[in-house]
Amino acid sequence: MALQNINPTSTNAWQKLKAHFEEISSLHMLDWFDKNPNRAKDFTIKWEDFYVDFSKNRINAETFELLMELAGEVKLGDAIEKYFSGDSINQTEGRAVLHTALRARPDYDIQLDGNPVMPEVIEVREKIKSFSEAINKGSLKGSSGKTFTDVVNIGIGGSDLGPAMVVDSLKYYQNNLKPHFVSNVDGDQVAELLKDLDPETTLFIIVSKTFTTQETLTNANTIRSWFADKLGDHAVAKHFVAVSTNLEKVRAFGIEEENIFPMWNWVGGRFSLWSAVGLSIAVSLGYDHFEGLLKGAQSMDDHFRTTPFHSNIPVVAALISVWYNNFFEAESEAIIPYTHYLNQFATYLQQAVMESNGKGVDRDGKSIDYQTGNIIWGEPGTNSQHAFFQLIHQGTKLIPVDFIGFVNPLHDNWDHHDKLISNFLAQTEALLTGKTDKEVLEEFKGQKADDITIGRTLPFKVFRGNRPTTTILIDSLSPESLGSLIAMYEHKIFVQGIIWNIYSYDQFGVELGKQLAGKILKEIENPEFEIHDSSTKNLIDYYKKHKKG
Ligand code: F6P
């Protein structure tokens, strides 16, 4: 069954939220904290080892209830059931969206066109398990009998960002295999990678859902030629494996049958790290950790599917995000993890969120006149504090921030960790409370500053505060907790897509640039000419005239 088609702006809740926004948009959160000593508790959700504090957001009890009403009016509950039950909710591509099946327990009963999905999922899971264990134990070796030391994932977009982020985030759990990722069609990236690799001890995983992606196939061909030059064509079979839905093209590339890991059309690239796309995760962290990641995601799936909306983390996070996006007209959201391990988390989320919800046509095929997908950006704290926090604290833009922190560090550097967490907590407090003229004046007086200095600099030292943050505090960074965290954001994306009445699981917006690049490549290679605007034509000419190759 298809998703319902409900314009959110036509709902009663939306109209009420508009009026409510006028009433409360100029109020300071601090007044709400003063009036309600239970505010922090009222807006905190404790779930497993997650403690999620939404209280430093520009919402009060009424906002919260109106947002819940909005979820009801757009029939979110019905949509969630369709999502989990394998309905064709990716309607523009005629597909189900079942990344939740990839991490589901084996007894999960889900049928697609009358066929159960789980047996195939389990079969591939078993294949990932036996392959990664054989690599890790050293029973599967390279062509010259040497144990593998390095693994290279060749893929781009969802076939790169998810696995790369997970492998980097969980490097504490890494085994002896050194992971590498090559994605860009930029030949300099692949050249730098190959400089340090020993072909005899390197495993290459080509990951491409379609097996037609220019970047991935170019890199795979370059690497294969480099490899065959060194060890001969006959050695390829022992070193190259592939993950794809396009088995014909994989075979044509010359990958051995037993080295092919299938995936399915009902998994979107940006949600595919739970499938064999995550093979680099399983081999470089060990299968048990890969399974831990799946388990963590699965628990979040249960939470999302079964918890009433009021205490449902992805639902609340998504509704608050809609509140800022559509009523406060906030353009972006920052994701700031206070662990350097999650260095690539915002980059990963950029694809997940922006490729999913960056849409301007609704489910009725009509142009949308309200805002959809948020711009996602971020860097780990505390580095980001010394880079762009100035703008978040005192700039003119409203930027809701997710602060993600861990109670326990992975290495016992408590001196560092206490400092890290003090910063984590201090930033959310500073963004909430700010600093008034009066407080700045008091501070000046304490420093015995003269009147001229005070007059000259006081306004610049004032912080208005009232800047929204959500604090996500997790016990520690583990495969399980990371799995839950990623799934939390995946479901937040889903909920927002439902509210905005868009299709979150296609990505037609990436196609035009690809088509034009194909045409321009032909013109670079030979004198034929297509019609271009004068700027593009001049640039092509300039490039052709000046290139030395
Ligand atoms: O260009 C965007 C995209 O289609 C993404 O959605 C996808 O994750 C990526 O390209 C890679 O695609 P593939 O896995 O088919 O190579």
Side-chain angles (χ1 to χ4, degrees):
M1 289 260 290
L3 290 171
Q4 304 197 39
N5 174 12
I6 300 164
N7 180 336
T9 64
S10 69
T11 60
N12 289 330
W14 193 278
Q15 298 313 319
K16 288 193 220 163
L17 279 162
K18 254 167 106 175
H20 175 66
F21 171 77
E22 296 305 326
E23 281 164 22
I24 71 153
S25 59
S26 58
L27 304 182
H28 203 293
M29 284 185 274
L30 275 182
D31 293 334
W32 292 330
F33 274 97
D34 283 347
K35 279 190 196 126
N36 177 9
N38 283 327
R39 179 176 168 87
K41 270 213 178 118
D42 288 351
F43 288 116
T44 293
I45 302 176
K46 175 87 187 75
W47 170 79
E48 294 196 354
D49 57 351
F50 278 49
Y51 183 93
V52 187
D53 182 347
F54 291 104
S55 68
K56 293 190 183 92
N57 280 293
R58 307 263 294 259
I59 53 167
N60 62 17
E62 192 183 344
T63 329
F64 198 73
E65 287 314 317
L66 291 176
L67 290 170
M68 294 297 149
E69 262 183 61
L70 177 63
E73 280 193 73
V74 298
K75 310 280 186 248
L76 178 61
D78 171 69
I80 292 175
E81 270 324 293
K82 286 178 174 154
Y83 173 42
F84 279 92
S85 321
D87 288 20
S88 281
I89 63 165
N90 175 4
Q91 210 172 307
T92 44
E93 296 183 319
R95 292 173 187 164
V97 175
L98 274 177
H99 44 274
T100 49
L102 298 169
R103 57 243 188 170
R105 283 180 291 264
D107 58 357
Y108 185 58
D109 179 26
I110 165 96
Q111 311 267 328
L112 258 190
D113 304 325
N115 301 314
V117 163
M118 287 315 287
E120 278 182 76
V121 171
I122 299 303
E123 198 183 314
V124 177
R125 239 186 245 173
E126 288 301 323
K127 191 171 159 92
I128 299 172
K129 182 173 195 269
S130 55
F131 181 80
S132 53
E133 286 179 349
I135 297 277
N136 293 155
K137 281 188 201 129
S139 55
L140 207 58
K141 296 188 197 304
S143 56
S144 50
K146 291 191 180 166
T147 308
F148 288 109
T149 56
D150 293 74
V151 55
V152 178
N153 187 92
I154 309 168
I156 196 165
S159 298
D160 165 72
L161 291 165
M165 179 277 289
V166 170
V167 165
D168 197 46
S169 301
L170 297 177
K171 64 172 162 237
Y172 175 82
Y173 301 91
Q174 196 181 309
N175 56 31
N176 291 333
L177 215 59
K178 198 166 171 219
H180 309 266
F181 289 84
V182 61
S183 51
N184 204 325
V185 74
D186 178 359
D188 291 345
Q189 190 193 12
V190 72
E192 286 297 333
L193 169 77
L194 295 179
K195 263 193 337 203
D196 299 327
L197 286 180
D198 177 355
E200 285 189 77
T201 58
T202 305
L203 172 72
F204 297 95
I205 308 176
I206 309 171
V207 186
S208 177
K209 182 176 167 186
T210 55
F211 225 75
T212 56
T213 305
Q214 183 196 50
E215 292 88 337
T216 302
L217 292 185
T218 307
N219 281 328
N221 281 313
T222 301
I223 292 173
R224 195 199 144 116
S225 311
W226 165 86
F227 180 89
D229 277 354
K230 308 244 173 212
L231 300 188
D233 246 338
H234 68 279
V236 168
K238 293 249 182 220
H239 290 258
F240 283 74
V241 304
V243 183
S244 186
T245 54
N246 195 340
L247 305 187
E248 225 172 273
K249 281 225 157 41
V250 175
R251 286 186 198 112
F253 186 87
I255 302 285
E256 298 286 307
E257 206 60 35
E258 75 263 23
N259 289 342
I260 302 177
F261 291 78
M263 63 181 293
W264 305 274
N265 274 337
W266 42 261
V267 187
R270 53 194 175 275
F271 302 98
S272 65
L273 67 91
W274 324 97
S275 70
V277 168
L279 192 59
S280 56
I281 304 173
V283 293
S284 61
L285 304 180
Y287 185 78
D288 288 352
H289 291 318
F290 181 65
E291 205 169 63
L293 189 79
L294 302 188
K295 273 204 186 115
Q298 200 279 322
S299 308
M300 181 54 80
D301 293 345
D302 277 354
H303 166 77
F304 175 58
R305 190 174 184 179
T306 60
T307 309
F309 292 166
H310 282 76
S311 36
N312 188 316
I313 299 171
V315 171
V316 173
L319 288 169
I320 292 177
S321 174
V322 168
W323 174 234
Y324 293 125
N325 189 62
N326 295 89
F327 297 89
F328 283 84
E329 296 179 359
E331 294 269 306
S332 76
E333 277 176 14
I335 308 287
I336 313 292
Y338 274 68
T339 166
H340 215 79
Y341 285 117
L342 291 191
N343 202 12
Q344 297 186 28
F345 196 59
T347 311
Y348 156 77
L349 277 184
Q350 281 176 335
Q351 187 203 13
V353 174
M354 293 159 78
E355 199 166 84
S356 300
N357 286 339
K359 310 286 165 64
V361 172
D362 70 10
R363 275 183 237 137
D364 200 20
K366 301 227 167 70
S367 278
I368 283 172
D369 61 1
Y370 48 88
Q371 288 291 316
T372 60
N374 331 77
I375 299 164
I376 297 294
W377 58 290
E379 285 289 326
T382 58
N383 290 12
S384 48
Q385 293 174 200
H386 297 269
F388 51 73
F389 265 49
Q390 164 66 39
L391 185 145
I392 299 182
H393 281 286
Q394 285 190 316
T396 53
K397 295 182 167 52
L398 182 81
I399 301 171
V401 188
D402 282 0
F403 280 79
I404 304 169
F406 293 85
V407 178
N408 296 292
L410 294 182
H411 297 274
D412 269 352
N413 286 335
W414 282 100
D415 168 45
H416 284 253
H417 197 65
D418 288 344
K419 286 175 183 159
L420 179 74
I421 295 300
S422 317
N423 275 281
F424 169 77
L425 300 172
Q427 289 297 329
T428 69
E429 186 173 37
L431 287 162
L432 166 69
T433 55
K435 203 193 258 184
T436 60
D437 299 40
K438 215 169 133 216
E439 286 166 325
V440 177
L441 190 61
E442 289 303 313
E443 212 172 75
F444 271 130
K445 283 190 184 151
Q447 293 158 354
K448 310 231 176 320
D450 57 73
D451 286 351
I452 297 175
T453 310
I454 296 175
R456 204 176 52 221
T457 50
L458 188 140
F460 305 101
K461 298 204 166 203
V462 171
F463 292 64
R464 279 178 287 130
N466 210 20
R467 299 189 176 224
T469 62
T470 295
T471 305
I472 301 165
L473 195 52
I474 304 168
D475 185 56
S476 66
L477 177 59
S478 63
E480 289 77 7
S481 63
L482 182 65
S484 300
L485 185 70
I486 299 169
M488 180 197 105
Y489 280 103
E490 286 181 343
H491 298 321
K492 177 181 171 188
I493 291 166
F494 167 81
V495 174
Q496 289 185 283
I498 294 303
I499 294 170
W500 289 325
N501 199 32
I502 54 177
Y503 288 118
S504 299
Y505 298 97
D506 60 26
Q507 56 284 317
F508 298 115
V510 300
E511 295 306 327
L512 177 59
K514 287 186 197 172
Q515 280 171 6
L516 294 183
K519 282 189 191 166
I520 292 177
L521 181 62
K522 280 197 200 124
E523 290 168 23
I524 289 174
E525 286 165 349
N526 57 53
E528 273 169 39
F529 245 93
E530 298 270 348
I531 296 168
H532 294 284
D533 62 89
S534 59
S535 160
T536 309
K537 184 176 176 310
N538 288 349
L539 289 163
I540 296 170
D541 280 345
Y542 187 88
Y543 176 70
K544 285 174 79 162
K545 253 184 228 137
H546 292 82
K547 76 194 273 270
K548 293 185 181 129

